[in-house]
Structures are given as C-alpha cells and as structure tokens.
Amino acid sequence: MKGYRVYSKIQQFRSAGFSQRQVARRLGINRKTVKRYWEMPVDEYEEMSSTVCRMQYLDKYHARILEWLQEFPDLTAAQVCDWLREHYREEVSERTVSRYVKQVREEYGLKKSAAPREYEAVPELPMGKQMQVDFGQKMMPNVDGGQTRVYVAAFVLSRSRYKYAQEQSRPFTSVDLVRICHDCFQYMGGMPEELVFDQDSIVCVSENAGDIIYTYEFEKFRQECGLSIRMCRRADPESKGKIENVVKYIKGNFLSHRLYVDDGILNGSCLEWLERTANAKVHGTTKLVPAEVFQEEREHLRPLPVCDQVKRPVICRTVRKDNTIIYDSNRYSVPLGTYTTQPEVRIETLDGTLYIQTLFGEPICEHRISSGRGLLIQSQSHRRDRTSKLDKLLEELDTELDGRATEFLTAIRVDKSRYARDQFRLIHSLLDQYGMEAALQAIGFCQRSRLYSANTMRDYLEHQAALSCETRPTPAIPAIPVDDPKYHVTTQKRPLSAYAKVGDPRC
C-alpha cells in the first residue's frame, strides 16, 4: 500500500489535467497503482486503509507465513488462511490473508509456481509402429468480413514425423473421423499398427476402467482395419507431445492470417502446404526431412484394409413428432407424414451433405450440413401447404359478391395473411346478415378509405343500421275513447261483514 500521501498526490495531478502515464512517471510508481487510485473516492480509500491495518496485524505471523511460502512455492492464500485458523485459532478473512500473502511474495520475490513435472526422453519407435491423432480449432477471417471457426484434425507418424491434416467449418463427428482416417491412410499409402488419441467423445464413450467403450462408428472402423488403439489419460497432453506440436504448427503456420472461403479450398491449400512446408522442412528434433524419412517408413506401413472404402458409416435416427431428426445438435426436417410412416430413418454424410433414407436405403431427402448449433434446417417442400384452401375460400366469397370485391379480398389476404381466414369468415357472416348490396356498399367505403379490414366493414354496416333506425317514423298509438262505456268498468264491492260471516262457524 502506497499510503495516503501517494493517493493525495495522484488526485492533485489528476485535477491538474495530467494523464495516468504522466502521473506514474512523475511519482515513480507503477501505472496500475495510479489506475487503481485514479477514480477512488476518499471513503473507499479509508475503508481500504482499514484493511491495511488488519494486514499489519498479520505481521506477527510474518516469519511463519514466509517459511510456508518458501517451503511450498505453490501454496495458495486460502491454504495459508486455513493453516492460521488451524494452528493459531486466528479468525481473519481470506481477502486480508490473500493481500498479505501477495505482499510477502512481492517483497521476497517468491513467485507462485506449481510443482514442476519431470520428463524423460522417449526412445524413437520402430517405423510404421505408431500414428498420433489430435484435434484443434481456430477462428479465421472469412470473405464476408466476419469470423469462421475452423476445426482441424491432424495426424503424424511418430518415427518420420510425416504429417497429414484436414479442416472443416463444423465440429467433427465420429463419422467425420472415420472418413478422415481413411483419407489419411490413402494419402500415406498404408496404415500404422497403433493410433494414439485423447479421450474424445467422438472416439470413446467411456474409459470403463481400462476396458474402453468406443463409439459405434469408431468401433466398426477399428475392427475393419484391425488397428490397436491407445487412449491417453485425461488432462495429460504431454503423453502425445508430437501431435500437440503439430496442431500448434498448423494453427500458427498455416491457418494464421489466412482468409477462409470454404472447406474445399482450405483443404486443397492445406495439402499444398504439407508438401511444400510441413513435410519438406528439416524437423527440429530429428534434424531430418520428414518427407525423406517417410520414403523408408512407407515400406513398413500395413496395407490398406480390403473393404469398401467408398461406403460411409451409417447411423440411425428417430423421427420426432414435428417431423425432424437431430444431427450434430441441429434439427433437420423430413417430409410431412414421415413420423407416422417411417418412425426411424438412417442417415449418411458425404461432402458436407446429410442424406436421410429409409431403413431399406430408399432416399427420403437431403440437406446441406449446417455449422451452427441449435438450428432448424427446414426445406420449403417439407412445410404444410396452407394456401390452397385459403385460395378456395377467397374464390367462393368473391363469387357470392358477383366478382365485385376481388381487389378488397386480395388486399386483406396480403395485409392480414395470418388472419385472412378469420377475415373471410366474418365477411361471409356480414353478407348473410345485411345482404349483398349493403355489404358491397361497406366494401366500397373501405376501399375509398384504404381500410382493408372486415372489422371496419362490420363497423360501417352497424353504423348504417343505427342511422336507419333513428330516421324511421315511430308508429302512432291510437288514443282510448273516453266516452265509450266499455272502457269504464266498475267492480262490485261487498261489505266486510259478508266475509266475516263466511269465517263464522255458527253460520
């Protein structure tokens, strides 16, 4: 902590209009310190100063903390705090201990470093023995002015360091990996005895305590080619350092500052780069040219498997209720009715195209594979045709109006396409209620006012009906003739004694 004097000087220079760089140069302090205090209010500084006092409280443990840090360079501040509580019963915040530990490290030059890992040189493997495989990704500028994420699959023969790679603009799947492995073997003219992989999800499903469970596509590929597979342990990239360096080399020397156009052009350029640079330059470790050593190692590679190389691995998908299937985290549409007739389909991928077929291999549809995630890729022909019935409804309504409302009905169809069916039904009910002539008058008013709505037409008709009721004469009610005796009827009145006699039992 620099103290209040430094804080005050920084605020004075700031008020005088100096920049942070100039203040740091004048006071001889780090620019980060100036930046920390530049806009700090006095209240916040006082609170920080109180923390400093608490940090000074830890000075009585200074020698002990220094001893811990010297003995264990990778010791964290959280562990120091826990040990203070364990050995000295000190209740102090982790933040305070963290600042104090940082101060001690700066004072004595104790850099925090993990325990170094010990490595040993690995003897060169026999020719044709092993190939290492790994994946990478890099953002590349594209021709549209944006950025495209490119995924790389790299291969290297452990002895000759002969390399191969392919790139694509979407994440790799198990099917992609099998296809690229076949392409790599074709490129090199043979296969090694062993492939080394990370525990990637497109290669294996589970480590299973050593009994690796591979994905369906990769297991089929492994059995067809008779390959031995070695899976590296998790979080252990050093166990296959050769391919790690190759991935870094491809990203830094080939992909860096290159413009992405499409996968085909990028892979064509990559093959040229492999022949021109990656396999033609002297290797830094072996001091040999990989292409020259490969001429000898080629003779030790196993022959390509006698199987249909063109045939792609096939996987099945369940058709969802909305007539879509899931592939590579995206939804791809199938024709309406597929869910009820083909609840399960098979899919194949080739050259960036997804082919959807029946279980018997009959084609259903195809889509270009999208590089995004969570998208709906839907063909226009797979959408429900909602226009034919609406066209028929418009035609019938126009016929009832003698073809004199075509323009009005068409305008409603365009302006209120989502509610056109409801609009036409309302017009039909108004036609039944008010008649054709009144309806045509309302349509003419709407067209003159450029209000293409059945609701406006209804309001007009109701208003006209209300006006006609006001102007209609009220029928005269004839007066009652006062002199006519039939309108003057008198009722007979009995005395109360008559009713009393009815209730008397003596009567």
Side-chain angles (χ1 to χ4, degrees):
M1 189 62 64
K2 301 299 180 181
Y4 181 75
R5 183 180 61 82
V6 174
Y7 170 78
S8 177
K9 285 286 187 183
I10 291 174
Q11 297 301 321
Q12 291 176 13
F13 280 122
R14 179 191 176 196
S15 301
F18 287 86
S19 66
Q20 294 183 16
R21 190 185 301 276
Q22 292 171 334
V23 174
R25 190 183 302 114
R26 284 176 174 269
L27 296 180
I29 58 178
N30 194 297
R31 188 180 173 188
K32 293 183 179 179
T33 304
V34 178
K35 184 177 181 180
R36 185 187 309 126
Y37 294 143
W38 192 255
E39 296 182 353
M40 181 182 293
V42 177
D43 297 340
E44 185 177 345
Y45 177 80
E46 290 180 355
E47 181 180 354
M48 182 180 294
S49 300
S50 63
T51 304
V52 176
C53 295
R54 292 195 298 272
M55 289 173 59
Q56 293 173 352
Y57 172 77
L58 295 176
D59 283 344
K60 58 184 179 181
Y61 304 113
H62 180 86
R64 189 61 173 147
I65 293 175
L66 178 60
E67 180 183 349
W68 288 340
L69 294 176
Q70 289 175 338
E71 185 177 359
F72 309 105
D74 60 334
L75 190 65
T76 65
Q79 287 179 291
V80 173
C81 182
D82 181 67
W83 287 0
L84 288 175
R85 293 173 181 174
E86 178 182 359
H87 298 291
Y88 301 101
R89 300 291 188 268
E90 282 291 350
E91 290 298 330
V92 61
S93 69
E94 289 190 5
R95 187 173 182 83
T96 300
V97 177
S98 175
R99 289 176 174 172
Y100 191 80
V101 169
K102 181 180 179 182
Q103 178 180 323
V104 173
R105 287 188 182 278
E106 292 178 352
E107 183 178 353
Y108 292 91
L110 301 175
K111 294 184 178 181
K112 182 179 179 181
S113 60
R117 177 176 177 178
E118 297 292 339
Y119 296 96
E120 63 176 338
V122 179
E124 293 291 342
L125 296 174
M127 288 192 172
K129 173 65 177 177
Q130 185 189 86
M131 174 184 286
Q132 297 185 4
V133 187
D134 201 8
F135 307 94
Q137 53 182 282
K138 185 176 179 63
M139 296 298 295
M140 295 181 61
N142 56 40
V143 292
D144 298 326
Q147 295 282 322
T148 299
R149 187 181 299 276
V150 174
Y151 298 84
V152 184
F155 302 75
V156 63
L157 287 170
S158 296
R159 180 60 182 269
S160 64
R161 281 20 176 225
Y162 197 71
K163 308 167 189 67
Y164 178 78
Q166 273 196 31
E167 297 84 15
Q168 63 185 38
S169 57
R170 58 180 178 80
F172 291 106
T173 64
S174 298
V175 176
D176 294 325
L177 175 60
V178 172
R179 170 179 54 81
I180 296 173
C181 285
H182 280 302
D183 293 342
C184 176
F185 297 159
Q186 291 281 354
Y187 179 79
M188 295 186 176
M191 301 185 305
E193 296 180 12
E194 180 185 66
L195 291 180
V196 180
F197 286 92
D198 268 336
Q199 291 190 34
D200 199 282
S201 60
I202 66 174
V203 179
C204 71
V205 177
S206 172
E207 188 177 6
N208 196 28
D211 296 327
I212 308 295
I213 301 176
Y214 300 101
T215 60
Y216 171 79
E217 295 83 3
F218 191 78
E219 174 64 21
K220 183 179 178 182
F221 162 74
R222 186 185 70 84
Q223 293 181 11
E224 289 179 349
C225 297
L227 290 168
S228 173
I229 307 297
R230 184 163 72 87
M231 306 299 296
C232 296
R233 300 299 297 270
R234 293 184 182 275
D236 188 21
E238 291 86 352
S239 59
K240 52 178 182 54
K242 297 182 181 69
I243 191 61
E244 294 287 344
N245 290 330
V246 170
V247 173
K248 182 194 292 187
Y249 185 37
I250 293 172
K251 291 163 63 175
N253 191 284
F254 173 66
L255 294 178
S256 184
H257 309 300
R258 185 179 294 271
L259 188 66
Y260 174 82
V261 180
D262 59 35
D263 292 353
I265 293 177
L266 185 63
N267 281 305
S269 301
C270 182
L271 290 176
E272 295 176 359
W273 175 79
L274 289 170
E275 296 177 2
R276 179 182 65 248
T277 303
N279 292 323
K281 294 181 64 176
V282 175
H283 193 272
T285 302
T286 64
K287 306 304 180 184
L288 300 172
V289 177
E292 296 176 357
V293 182
F294 175 70
Q295 297 302 322
E296 181 181 355
E297 186 169 16
R298 187 199 300 268
E299 304 300 325
H300 295 80
L301 294 177
R302 298 165 54 215
L304 296 175
V306 183
C307 61
D308 188 0
Q309 298 284 338
V310 179
K311 185 177 180 181
R312 304 295 171 177
V314 177
I315 53 179
C316 296
R317 286 291 186 269
T318 300
V319 180
R320 294 150 55 95
K321 290 183 178 180
D322 58 356
N323 286 284
T324 59
I325 64 168
I326 298 294
Y327 176 74
D328 197 18
S329 300
N330 290 319
R331 292 180 296 154
Y332 291 84
S333 67
V334 293
L336 288 174
T338 305
Y339 170 72
T340 55
T341 59
Q342 300 286 339
E344 190 174 18
V345 296
R346 53 188 282 188
I347 61 175
E348 295 181 0
T349 58
L350 178 63
D351 297 332
T353 302
L354 175 67
Y355 296 93
I356 304 176
Q357 306 169 348
T358 66
L359 295 179
F360 302 102
E362 300 173 355
I364 296 177
C365 62
E366 61 184 64
H367 294 278
R368 291 297 299 175
I369 297 176
S370 173
S371 59
R373 297 177 70 85
L375 303 178
L376 171 63
I377 294 85
Q378 186 176 38
S379 174
Q380 237 2 75
S381 61
H382 297 168
R383 305 187 65 179
R384 190 185 305 277
D385 185 11
R386 296 180 173 86
T387 60
S388 57
K389 292 185 178 180
L390 198 58
D391 290 338
K392 183 178 179 181
L393 186 61
L394 186 150
E395 184 179 352
E396 291 176 353
L397 188 57
D398 191 35
T399 302
E400 290 187 34
L401 292 170
D402 290 342
R404 297 159 64 183
T406 306
E407 182 181 351
F408 178 70
L409 298 177
T410 304
I412 288 180
R413 171 75 182 277
V414 175
D415 292 350
K416 296 179 174 55
S417 58
R418 186 177 177 185
Y419 302 98
R421 191 183 307 276
D422 298 331
Q423 291 273 316
F424 292 162
R425 288 174 178 171
L426 179 56
I427 294 174
H428 194 277
S429 64
L430 293 175
L431 186 61
D432 293 340
Q433 182 178 357
Y434 294 99
M436 186 178 67
E437 292 302 325
L440 289 173
Q441 290 180 7
I443 291 173
F445 169 78
C446 292
Q447 287 181 310
R448 291 191 299 272
S449 304
R450 296 184 179 179
L451 300 173
Y452 301 104
S453 171
N455 294 313
T456 305
M457 180 180 169
R458 180 191 57 195
D459 294 341
Y460 176 85
L461 291 171
E462 290 177 351
H463 179 69
Q464 293 298 322
L467 289 179
S468 63
C469 291
E470 292 178 1
T471 56
R472 187 180 302 165
T474 305
I477 301 176
I480 298 176
V482 182
D483 298 335
D484 195 338
K486 68 179 180 181
Y487 294 106
H488 299 277
V489 178
T490 57
T491 58
Q492 182 181 1
K493 296 181 180 180
R494 293 188 179 92
L496 292 176
S497 59
Y499 295 101
K501 289 179 181 181
V502 173
D504 192 350
R506 295 177 297 177
C507 299

